[in-house]
Amino acid sequence: MAPKRGQIVEQLRAEIVSGVLAPNSRLPTRSELEHRFGGSSVTIQRAVDQLVQDGFVCSRPRSGSFVASHPPHLCRFGLVLPGRPDSPEQWSRFYTALCGEAQAFDEPSDRFQLYYGMGGDAVKPGHANLLHDLQNHCLAGLIFATMPYNFPAGVKFNSWTCPMLGIMAGPVPGIPAIFPDWGSFLDRAIGHLLANGRFRIAVLTVSLPSELIMGRLAARQLNTPSYFIQYAPVNSVEGARNVIDLLMRIPIEDRPDGLIIADDNLLEQASMALMSSPHGVAEGIHVVAHCNFPWPTPSLVPVRRLGFDTGRILRLSLDLLKQQRQGASCPALTLVPAVFEDELKANREIS
């Protein structure tokens, strides 16, 4: 950007961000801007065009240029994703659900800008786009969909600190966290299975700590063998299927009669194994399956879906970012409780 045009853009943007030029207020006329900045009509027009492109200004035919009613520094929130949908090794169904819910937000006062492929050290196009938007006050806050590796917490851009939040198990210095409450997920899943007369409960997961799982089972006086807790990779086609096949080969008197699939990335393959097993559905194994609502994973067998409302996670994230903007303190860690599918539907109908 030419130096003169950049100076004009920066000054007008600063007046909008500071509130000197309020939302919906009219910008000075082109001739007034030419006189104020000593720039040509072409330079002024290009500066205004840049502000329009960044979302700070809108042009109304025969009326002039106005500050946007919902400028980006107040209403646009960045969602930073570590991978891309076309890169399965860096993607999960949780990211799909987050993106789907973010794109479903249609309130002008709360909208999302997605930044893909932000994991690792390599400089990628997403990094440059994010840096541009931060430097130019185009974001009201930033949500990291994972641990913000290599990103400086509390970094300032032109004396402005962007509010930040991470969807991660614990906070890092300067960045509070929001995360699904997996303890509540296990408690509710186990409680449901016990209420249905299932006492030999197996768990299939990607990364939940075995200590957490065994502790929750032991709290219900369940003497669970360690091999009932099984792990499978997120993107392994065969992993979940093979694990379930092995569990179903245990003699019937020792075989699990209840199964918790604690990651929706594993459900499709696990349900295929249960369907094809001569002992799975036939012997009446009862399944509780994790879900990132409202984006369920297909299942070939009946399951009771239990999980986390990704829309609620995003709404709570926005509330926490707005608290930061207003200078209020927000908790270092906010946990989102697990809900069953019927509860989620009832809550959404009430709201």
Side-chain angles (χ1 to χ4, degrees), residues 274-297:
L274 288 172
M275 176 61 74
S276 60
S277 170
H279 309 294
V281 179
E283 295 297 337
I285 188 169
H286 197 107
V287 182
V288 176
H290 165 253
C291 180
N292 287 301
F293 295 117
W295 298 78
T297 302

Side-chain angles (χ1 to χ4, degrees), residues 44-98:
I44 295 297
Q45 185 59 53
R46 288 179 177 173
V48 173
D49 289 344
Q50 182 63 52
L51 291 169
V52 171
Q53 181 179 325
D54 288 341
F56 289 96
V57 170
C58 62
S59 295
R60 301 175 187 172
R62 296 186 294 276
S63 296
S65 296
F66 293 78
V67 177
S69 56
H70 297 94
H73 71 287
L74 298 177
C75 306
R76 183 190 296 163
F77 296 85
L79 178 59
V80 179
L81 298 140
R84 302 184 59 85
D86 56 1
S87 301
E89 68 280 359
Q90 295 180 313
W91 200 252
S92 71
R93 291 184 180 272
F94 178 60
Y95 299 144
T96 297
L98 276 180

